[in-house]
Amino acid sequence: MVTTTRDDTPLWLFADQLGPAVYGGEHAHREVVLIEATSALAKRRYHRQKLHLVLSALRHADRDLGDRATLIKAATYTEGLNRIRRPVLVHQPTSHAAEAFVNRLQERGLVAEVLPTPTFALPRKDFETWAGERTRFRMEDFYRDQRRRFDVLMNGADPVGNRWNFDEDNREPPPKKQARLDVPAPYKPREDDIDEQVRRDLDAMDLDTVGADGPRLFAVTPGEAKRALTRFIDQRLPTFGRYEDAIMSEDWAMAHSLLSVPLNLGVLHPLDAVEAAEQAYRDNAAPLSAVEGFIRQILGWREYMWHLYWHFGPDYTGENNELKARTPLPDWWADLDADAVTAQCLHHALKGVHDRGWTHHIQRLMILGSHALQRGYRPDELTEWFATAYVDGFRWVMPTNVVGMSQHADGGLLATKPYTSGGAYINKMSDHCGDCAYDPKKRVGEDACPFTAGYWAFTHRHRDRLSKNMRTRRAVSSMERLSDLDAVLEQESARDRF
């Protein structure tokens, strides 16, 4: 879309709009405004490394844009904009609250024009056309239309390999008798003087944060993002698919891309990642199953979550709690106290969040999310936790992922069934259970696995709903045949140790 704003109007960039898709092209001539707002940093209890990434990204953008950029440090965004003394141009921000704020600024004359978000593949208006009058949403339908629309992994009208989805090929358990995947390490950025100053400034601010301060692990500039993408495509993508769902205690990154942070900061455009992956397949440098799995994560799931966030509206999180989950997040969870947890799978997942502000998607869904679902943690509190404790957890990312996918709190609007399991799944897909004090085969006793027992307690609690769902009714039938069900329920109602 071509702007009608004057050529000398500055362009204001939020901290997740820091790539050339936002400030390049028709805007390449404009002055750029960047604002560090102390109020935004202190508004929530963020992971320390998340605040570091945001400030590092802003300050690196200021340095890299040179004379084009003006970085303003202020108490609030409004104070920073008032210092410019002229209206600014801005692209749609990435949350409901920020969009409402920008609209108020436009009414006050501080913002001259608001343009569509350029950091996703599909424009918001096109998704609304696709959504139409749908009352149930399935990602596979959206994903196939995305592939057709952008001509990705297509041979004319047919998908490459004559299959849309290679998910079944991407579910191998971790290799036995080794502690790590035999794959080159992920790209790791080199901290510089900007990062050193960010760390000193955060120390001086003395903000209430969670997690460890650590070395910066993720790309925050377009240049770093390009190097991170290249390393993943060239050295790690071929292994990615097979072990996409596996978990290893000593290998936190596995063969994952670690591109969610630069994607969500806007310094890497999703179509650039998708095109690089497809080219690797066309060049016979990576198997189709791995390439399709990676593309599905970005062109499918990530875009889908973004658009459903806007489609479902600002009340989606607050209004949806279909399973009536009322348990507040325990302190050990909120404080990322992994040492308070005995179960190895839960301990390592929570420690990963504490140490890095990041775990891969199966730890999010089938360890942390599954535990929260079984124990009935409040979905609104859980959504807030994921959004603040994860370094890639921007405001738009988590509502549909947590409320819809992980906690089934919208009653099936997004996902067809609750995603939870007993210890057998964790034992198959991880190397955690061998050294755990709990036995994944046991549901009663001191060494009963809290996931195994918790699965049956959850199934019993929601048996009426689950028995009406074709995908979960078998679990209810299996539960009803358990000879020790009463003992399981009594044990889990009193469980305070995990």
Side-chain angles (χ1 to χ4, degrees):
M1 178 181 293
V2 177
T3 176
T4 59
T5 304
R6 290 172 39 167
D7 282 348
D8 61 350
T9 301
L11 177 65
W12 175 29
L13 305 184
F14 281 99
D16 54 359
Q17 300 176 332
L18 299 178
V22 186
Y23 58 69
E26 66 171 295
H27 303 300
H29 65 285
R30 292 187 187 277
E31 175 188 348
V32 168
V33 175
L34 305 163
I35 301 176
E36 280 187 24
T38 306
S39 60
L41 302 177
K43 190 173 184 178
R44 294 177 174 86
R45 195 184 186 207
Y46 289 109
H47 199 291
R48 165 66 183 244
Q49 291 183 46
K50 181 171 189 167
L51 295 181
H52 185 123
L53 287 167
V54 168
L55 288 183
S56 181
L58 279 168
R59 296 181 186 184
H60 277 95
D62 176 51
R63 182 197 66 185
D64 293 346
L65 289 170
D67 293 340
R68 279 188 67 190
T70 300
L71 176 63
I72 299 172
K73 298 180 181 181
T76 66
Y77 289 122
T78 303
E79 178 187 317
L81 291 174
N82 281 327
R83 293 187 195 172
I84 302 172
R85 301 183 183 279
R86 50 186 169 140
V88 297
L89 179 70
V90 67
H91 290 86
Q92 292 169 328
T94 57
S95 75
H96 295 294
E99 185 175 60
F101 173 59
V102 164
N103 290 339
R104 292 195 299 271
L105 293 174
Q106 189 172 21
E107 291 173 0
R108 295 172 52 188
L110 293 174
V111 167
E113 187 177 356
V114 183
L115 299 175
T117 309
T119 52
F120 291 82
L122 186 69
R124 281 168 53 179
K125 61 179 178 60
D126 291 346
F127 180 85
E128 289 306 315
T129 300
W130 177 87
E133 300 299 319
R134 296 171 194 252
T135 57
R136 287 290 183 269
F137 293 85
R138 298 293 173 257
M139 200 279 282
E140 187 67 20
D141 298 335
F142 173 77
Y143 172 57
R144 293 184 184 189
D145 282 349
Q146 288 279 88
R147 291 265 298 275
R148 296 186 188 100
R149 181 188 296 264
F150 293 102
D151 193 27
V152 172
L153 290 180
M154 299 295 294
N155 282 332
D158 300 317
V160 169
N162 295 314
R163 285 169 58 187
W164 290 102
N165 190 316
F166 287 79
D167 198 32
E168 291 183 2
D169 299 339
N170 293 344
R171 295 173 176 169
E172 288 193 34
K176 298 184 183 300
K177 298 182 180 180
Q178 63 187 74
R180 305 176 65 84
L181 287 185
D182 185 18
V183 61
Y187 169 81
K188 183 179 179 181
R190 185 175 299 173
E191 288 198 3
D192 56 17
D193 57 329
I194 290 178
D195 290 294
E196 293 176 5
Q197 187 61 51
V198 165
R199 188 164 286 111
R200 288 193 294 268
D201 289 346
L202 285 172
D203 287 341
M205 291 179 195
D206 194 26
L207 300 169
D208 182 18
T209 61
V210 295
D213 179 22
R216 179 162 67 82
L217 299 172
F218 302 94
V220 298
T221 73
E224 288 181 345
K226 184 177 181 179
R227 291 190 288 275
L229 174 63
T230 298
R231 184 170 182 85
F232 171 69
I233 296 296
D234 291 350
Q235 301 187 30
R236 296 164 58 80
L237 175 59
T239 311
F240 164 74
R242 293 175 60 193
Y243 303 114
E244 181 180 352
D245 289 359
I247 306 170
M248 301 181 78
S249 302
E250 301 302 319
D251 193 346
W252 69 272
M254 304 286 284
H256 292 276
S257 71
L258 307 190
L259 295 173
S260 57
V261 168
L263 282 166
N264 292 354
L265 288 171
V267 298
L268 174 64
H269 197 277
L271 289 179
D272 289 339
V274 166
E275 290 166 5
E278 180 175 17
Q279 191 60 50
Y281 166 72
R282 302 287 186 187
D283 293 342
N284 295 315
L288 179 58
S289 58
V291 170
E292 188 278 319
F294 176 69
I295 288 174
R296 180 160 20 97
Q297 281 192 343
I298 296 177
L299 194 63
W301 190 255
R302 182 176 182 270
E303 293 268 321
Y304 190 52
M305 293 295 98
W306 159 255
H307 286 294
L308 287 182
Y309 171 81
W310 294 103
H311 184 79
F312 290 157
D315 298 325
Y316 176 76
T317 301
E319 290 185 348
N320 283 301
N321 191 357
E322 284 290 318
L323 301 186
K324 295 179 170 50
R326 309 294 186 196
T327 304
L329 293 186
D331 289 343
W332 56 265
W333 179 290
D335 295 339
L336 309 182
D337 185 6
D339 292 336
V341 181
T342 300
Q344 286 296 293
C345 58
L346 193 54
H347 168 85
H348 279 280
L350 203 61
K351 191 173 190 302
V353 183
H354 177 275
D355 291 351
R356 292 173 289 273
W358 189 93
T359 60
H360 71 67
H361 66 283
I362 293 299
Q363 289 172 295
R364 301 187 199 205
L365 178 65
M366 298 306 297
I367 304 296
L368 297 169
S370 178
H371 169 82
L373 180 65
Q374 290 180 3
R375 302 300 157 179
Y377 294 165
R378 288 180 48 166
D380 56 346
E381 291 188 2
L382 191 66
T383 301
E384 178 72 9
W385 180 82
F386 270 103
T388 53
Y390 272 80
V391 293
D392 57 5
F394 289 77
R395 306 309 299 180
W396 65 269
V397 176
M398 293 305 175
T400 45
N401 271 298
V402 177
V403 174
M405 180 68 175
S406 173
Q407 302 304 293
H408 203 65
D410 64 5
L413 185 62
L414 188 146
T416 56
K417 73 180 183 80
Y419 279 84
T420 188
S421 75
Y425 173 85
I426 299 171
N427 191 27
K428 175 186 176 183
M429 296 305 297
S430 79
D431 59 4
H432 290 314
C433 298
D435 296 327
C436 188
Y438 298 119
D439 186 340
K441 297 185 179 67
K442 293 187 177 181
R443 55 183 176 263
V444 177
E446 283 295 315
D447 59 346
C449 174
F451 280 89
T452 299
Y455 175 80
W456 296 118
F458 171 83
T459 302
H460 182 268
R461 189 162 68 248
H462 300 291
R463 58 193 180 279
D464 291 341
R465 177 185 293 270
L466 298 177
S467 65
K468 299 173 184 176
N469 186 325
M470 291 185 61
R471 298 190 67 191
T472 55
R473 62 178 53 166
R474 183 178 296 180
V476 177
S477 298
S478 298
M479 177 204 69
E480 291 173 341
R481 294 194 295 270
L482 296 179
S483 60
D484 55 2
L485 179 59
D486 289 343
V488 171
L489 298 178
E490 181 179 1
Q491 169 186 276
E492 294 311 297
S493 67
R495 182 184 287 275
D496 59 3
R497 185 173 69 91
F498 300 100

